[in-house]
Amino acid sequence: MHDISGLFPAHESLGAVSVERAIAELRAGRPVMLTETAVRLLVYPAEQLDSHAADSLARIGGARLILSEQRLGRLGVERDGPGLIALPDVNLDRISALILDEDARIDAPVVPPIPAEEAALDLLRLAHLLPAALLIRLDAPVAGLNEVAGCDIRAFRARKITSLRLIGRAPVPLEGAPHSEIAVFRGGEGLRDQAAVIVGEPDLSGPVHVRLHSACLTGDLFGSLKCDCGDQLRHTVKFMAENGGGVILYLDQEGRGNGLATKIRAYGLQAKGYDTYDADEILGFGLDQRRFGYAARMLDLLGVTRVRLMTNNPKKIEALRAAGLEVSDQRIQGRPTPHNIHYLATKRDRAGHLLDVDVPTAED
C-alpha cells in the first residue's frame, strides 16, 4: 500500500477534496453519494435529468425531490426551509414543471428534510446548479459513486477561504489605466480562481479604493444594457487611475452567485415581465447567494486593511466590516438606461441598494 498523503497540499483536507470532486461530478451530470452518520443518499441534480437517468432512478425506487424554500413558495407552499416531495415514478414532465415552470403548483405533500438532505441542496449551490435534486436512500455504498460527507459540505466554504493563496501576478496595461497589474488567487469555492486588478500604485498604509466586482459576462464583456455592471467596472478603472490607484477584486460570482446558466434562465423569465428577484425566486434562489469572505482574504493577502469601498450595496460594506476591515464607502452607480431603469429601481426597493434612480411614469 502506497502512502500518497504527501501529494495533497498541506493546507487541503481530504474532506474539501471530496467536495470538489462531488461538484465536478454533479456539473457533469453524474450522481454522487452523500453520507451523514448512518444515512447514505444518492444525489442526482434535477436539472440534468434525462430519460435514461430517469429510467435508472425509477428502477432503484424510492426517489424524492428536494426543493428550496423559495421554489416551494412559488409552488404555493410557504415554508421556512426546504422540503421533499415523493416521486412514485420518475416522470420527466412532472419534475421539469416542479423545478422550472413559473405557473406550476404543488401536487403532493411536502415533508421536511434531514440534515443530509439539506446538505445536498448546498452542494448543488456550490456547483452553480439549480437547488433541486433527486434523492434516494441507499442501504449500502454503490461502486463508482463519488462519496462526500455532509459535514464536509457545510465546512467547505470556511476551509476554502483559509486555503486561498496567491498564484501569480504580472503587469497588464489597461485602456485608461496603463499602469495596472493582475493577481490571481486559487482556492475559491467551486474550483474557481479569483482575480485582483491593482490599478496604479495605491498607498496601502491608508484607506485604499476597493471595488468588489462580481463577474458579469453579459455586462462586462458584451456591454449588455440590462444591467449597470459593465459601466461600474469601467468607471471604477478610470476613477482609480485618476485618483491614486486602487484594487478591483474580480469575483467569480456570476448572477449574484447563482451561475451563468441560471442567470440566462432568469433573463428569459424577465423577458416575460418578472423582475430580477422574482425570476431568481422562480428558479429556487433567494435575493443574493454571494458571500464575500474570499474578498476579505484576498485583501488581507494583498496587505490591504483599510478600505474605501466603491459600491452601492450595503451588504458588501457589512461583510468587509464583519471580516475585521476598516471600511468607509464611496457611492458608485452605472448609467440608468431605458433597458435597466426598472432593474436598478428593483435593486433599490427590494435589496436596499443605495441607488438614485427615477422610474418614468406613463405620463413622462
Side-chain angles (χ1 to χ4, degrees):
M1 182 71 71
H2 299 287
D3 179 10
I4 62 169
S5 59
L7 299 179
F8 290 86
H11 61 266
E12 197 78 278
S13 73
L14 291 180
V17 172
S18 71
V19 176
E20 291 180 346
R21 288 173 175 166
I23 289 170
E25 290 293 287
L26 292 173
R27 286 190 60 80
R30 295 187 289 263
V32 300
M33 183 173 69
L34 194 156
T35 61
E36 184 112 44
T37 59
V39 176
R40 295 185 186 90
L41 289 175
L42 183 147
V43 181
Y44 194 91
E47 71 170 272
Q48 306 272 34
L49 191 67
D50 58 18
S51 58
H52 175 74
D55 290 343
S56 297
L57 292 168
R59 284 195 296 271
I60 299 172
R64 297 195 293 175
L65 177 68
I66 187 167
L67 298 171
S68 68
E69 62 184 281
Q70 290 83 10
R71 180 58 188 170
L72 288 171
R74 298 301 304 200
L75 292 171
V77 179
E78 297 301 325
R79 296 181 61 88
D80 57 3
L84 291 140
I85 300 167
L87 300 173
D89 59 348
V90 184
N91 183 288
L92 276 173
D93 290 337
R94 180 190 178 211
I95 292 167
S96 178
L98 286 171
I99 69 172
L100 285 172
D101 287 3
E102 59 263 38
D103 298 322
R105 307 300 288 174
I106 204 71
D107 62 0
V110 177
V111 298
I114 60 174
E117 292 162 338
E118 289 199 67
L121 271 190
D122 202 21
L123 185 60
L124 289 166
R125 293 187 183 103
L126 286 168
H128 276 180
L129 298 172
L130 293 180
L134 281 80
L135 307 178
I136 297 178
R137 297 279 185 100
L138 299 172
D139 296 327
V142 177
L145 287 187
N146 184 85
E147 183 175 339
V148 60
C151 61
D152 289 325
I153 295 169
R154 286 188 286 274
F156 183 73
R157 289 186 176 92
R159 285 175 176 169
K160 295 305 288 183
I161 288 172
T162 60
S163 73
L164 197 70
R165 61 200 188 280
L166 180 61
I167 294 298
R169 55 197 300 173
V172 180
L174 305 178
E175 183 176 356
H179 185 47
S180 296
E181 183 182 18
I182 292 182
V184 176
F185 298 81
R186 183 155 298 157
E189 66 185 48
L191 315 180
R192 300 183 292 274
D193 292 342
Q194 314 294 331
V197 182
I198 299 95
V199 179
E201 296 182 355
D203 179 6
L204 301 187
S205 67
V208 177
H209 282 108
V210 170
R211 172 154 177 81
L212 311 186
H213 190 90
S214 298
C216 176
L217 176 72
T218 50
D220 299 342
L221 184 59
F222 296 111
S224 167
L225 301 177
K226 286 182 65 65
C227 65
D228 63 338
C229 303
D231 264 3
Q232 290 189 72
L233 180 61
R234 286 177 276 277
H235 172 76
T236 298
V237 171
K238 183 176 185 297
F239 178 90
M240 289 180 176
E242 296 172 353
N243 291 274
V247 177
I248 301 169
L249 301 187
Y250 197 79
L251 307 171
D252 188 1
Q253 299 175 326
E254 187 82 43
R256 288 193 292 270
N258 299 337
L260 179 61
T262 295
K263 173 180 171 178
I264 297 304
R265 285 189 177 112
Y267 276 7
L269 291 167
Q270 290 174 46
K272 296 180 180 181
Y274 295 98
D275 74 31
T276 179
Y277 296 114
D278 282 339
D280 283 350
E281 185 177 75
I282 288 169
L283 297 171
F285 294 95
L287 287 181
D288 197 330
Q289 271 54 243
R290 291 175 295 179
R291 294 170 172 83
F292 298 102
Y294 295 100
R297 177 64 175 152
M298 290 166 70
L299 291 172
D300 177 56
L301 291 172
L302 290 171
V304 176
T305 59
R306 301 169 65 195
V307 171
R308 183 170 294 155
L309 193 62
M310 300 182 67
T311 187
N312 57 58
N313 186 349
K315 289 187 177 180
K316 292 182 180 180
I317 301 168
E318 295 166 6
L320 292 190
R321 284 177 177 162
L325 292 163
E326 181 183 320
V327 184
S328 59
D329 67 284
Q330 179 164 333
R331 200 75 50 83
I332 181 173
Q333 179 175 323
R335 294 169 299 164
T337 73
H339 299 278
N340 70 21
I341 188 70
H342 288 281
Y343 165 80
L344 296 176
T346 300
K347 290 208 299 182
R348 177 197 63 196
D349 298 339
R350 296 193 59 178
H353 283 241
L354 307 172
L355 291 165
D356 182 18
V357 292
D358 292 316
V359 179
T361 65
E363 291 78 20
D364 289 339

